[in-house]
Amino acid sequence: MVLGRRVVMESSFRKNLPWVTIALIAANGILFLAAECTGSTLDTDVLIRWGGAYTAYITEGQYWRLFTAMFMHSGIRHLLNNMVMLYVLGSNLEALLGRVRYILLYIIGGLIGNYVSYYLEMKAGEDIVSVGASGAIFAVMGGVLWIVIRNHGRVRNLNLSQMLLMLGFSLYFGFVATNVANSAHVAGLISGFLLSVLLYRKPPETA
């Protein structure tokens, strides 16, 4: 009987793991290591070679870079900061939205963030190489924010005060830092919030 209970608990634990979030982190990590093996991810030439969002190339029709840039990072610190945020927020959003809707929000929000950043750079006549999952992570943040609001300010281990504090610090450090695509952050945040409004279905309340 004890063995049976242990098997059920282990099966439930595996089922409840945030597999999509883990897969996204693994994909980012693998691509980072692969790029590092060919040079340095602090080198713009390496970032372009591995799919960085280079304004000039996107304008020429290489729109796929808006997607691949979401999985590239410039330096280990950039990667680790984003992956910690992704795990904390993504594991919660995956449980709340479900895996399919979660990955849709992540990808669409990230693409919108990268496109807005590219569009503004193109209009300004700037040839910039942009990489990172930040736009998609801000989309996840926006998605979680809506769900917290929808659940009267608290859901799982998150509350509205925590979310607003996290959001405020994230935006602040983005704007005071150099070489940060803040337009991708803001666009990702707004698109994630709106996508969550469309995708999230609040479970019926029990007595």
Side-chain angles (χ1 to χ4, degrees), residues 173-196:
F173 285 121
F175 279 106
V176 299
T178 57
N179 300 321
V180 175
N182 290 297
S183 55
H185 294 178
V186 175
L189 176 69
I190 295 171
S191 61
F193 186 91
L194 296 176
L195 285 165
S196 187

Side-chain angles (χ1 to χ4, degrees), residues 33-52:
L33 291 174
E36 279 288 330
C37 289
T38 66
S40 170
T41 54
L42 298 174
D43 185 344
T44 53
D45 289 334
V46 172
L47 296 176
I48 292 172
R49 192 185 316 141
W50 282 88

